[in-house]
Amino acid sequence: GLTEEVQIATDQFGVPIITTASHLDGFRALGYVTARDRLFQMDLLRRRSAGRLSEIFGDSMVAVDMEQRILGFERVARETAQRLPVAQWEVLAAYADGVNSAMEGMSVAPFEFLVLGYRPQRWRIEDSLLIVLSMFQDQSNSAGEERMLSVMEQALPPEVYQFLTPMTDSYSQAVLGEEFSTDDYQV
C-alpha cells in the first residue's frame, strides 16, 4: 500500500528511523515496524482496554475484563474513530495498514502467540484509539501511588525519602547523555 519509497534504518539504540516523502507512507512504515517489534504488547494493550484479556488468559482475568467493559472503551474508540476528521482517520488507517502488513508477512507468529496458542486479529483504526485510552487510564489511576508518596514524605527523614524516590535514575541519565553519580543517592 505504499505510494512512495520508504527507507527504514535502525540507529545504535535500536530505534527505527523512517524516511519517506509521503506523510501517510511514514505512518504505514511506523505501523509496520511497531508490529514487527511489539505485536504482542500491542495486542495486550488493546485487549486490556477493551476488556478481552480473559479470551487468552482464561477465568483469572474475567474480573479485570468486567471492570474494563463497564468503562466502555471499545465503544468509545469505535465512536471516536467514526467522528475523526478525514486527515486523522487517514493517518490511523495508514498505521493499521502497516500493522496488518507486518502481521501478514510473518511466517511464524511471535513466540508469545505460539505459547498462548492464538493469532492476533487484524488491526483496526479503533485499536490505536484503544491503546491511547489504555495509556490515559494508566496515567489517570495514580491516586494510590500519590497517597503512598505523601505518607512516605511525611513519615521518613528527607534524605531517606529522596533516596527512595529519586527524580532520575542511571538509565535515564545515560539516555539523556548526563553523567551519573552515586553521590546523588547516598543517605
Side-chain angles (χ1 to χ4, degrees):
L2 298 175
T3 60
E4 302 281 338
E5 180 182 348
V6 174
Q7 294 178 0
I8 301 172
T10 305
D11 72 9
Q12 71 268 23
F13 300 111
V15 176
I17 300 167
I18 299 167
T19 307
T20 184
S22 165
H23 181 73
L24 292 178
D25 282 346
F27 281 101
R28 285 183 189 92
L30 180 62
Y32 182 89
V33 297
T34 306
R36 178 195 69 190
D37 297 342
R38 297 281 181 237
L39 183 58
F40 183 69
Q41 290 84 352
M42 294 168 68
D43 191 54
L44 278 185
L45 283 172
R46 73 175 164 176
R47 284 177 175 280
R48 176 181 164 241
S49 188
R52 296 181 46 222
L53 288 173
S54 60
E55 294 173 6
I56 57 173
F57 293 120
D59 292 343
S60 65
M61 298 307 287
V62 168
V64 172
D65 284 353
M66 288 174 59
E67 286 182 29
Q68 286 304 118
R69 288 185 182 201
I70 288 169
L71 294 174
F73 284 165
E74 193 154 38
R75 178 189 49 76
V76 170
R78 185 175 48 254
E79 291 175 4
T80 301
Q82 292 170 353
R83 294 181 178 154
L84 286 174
V86 172
Q88 292 175 10
W89 189 91
E90 288 175 342
V91 163
L92 291 178
Y95 182 84
D97 288 345
V99 172
N100 290 325
S101 178
M103 284 195 288
E104 291 163 7
M106 292 177 179
S107 56
V108 176
F111 81 93
E112 298 94 339
F113 296 107
L114 299 174
V115 168
L116 293 168
Y118 81 101
R119 293 262 319 171
Q121 295 174 339
R122 290 183 56 77
W123 199 260
R124 306 166 303 167
I125 291 169
E126 55 264 32
D127 291 334
S128 295
L129 298 172
L130 279 170
I131 288 181
V132 170
L133 289 167
S134 180
M135 293 168 64
F136 168 78
Q137 185 178 20
D138 285 344
Q139 295 298 312
S140 299
N141 288 341
S142 61
E145 188 175 313
E146 289 176 18
R147 277 193 299 275
M148 178 202 54
L149 288 173
S150 293
V151 169
M152 287 175 63
E153 186 175 26
Q154 291 177 10
L156 299 172
E159 310 82 37
V160 174
Y161 174 76
Q162 289 172 352
F163 174 77
L164 294 173
T165 60
M167 293 302 288
T168 188
D169 57 32
S170 59
Y171 175 76
S172 299
Q173 287 179 316
V175 169
L176 296 171
E178 298 174 352
E179 189 172 316
F180 177 73
S181 170
T182 56
D183 295 342
D184 298 334
Y185 298 96
Q186 291 180 356
V187 177

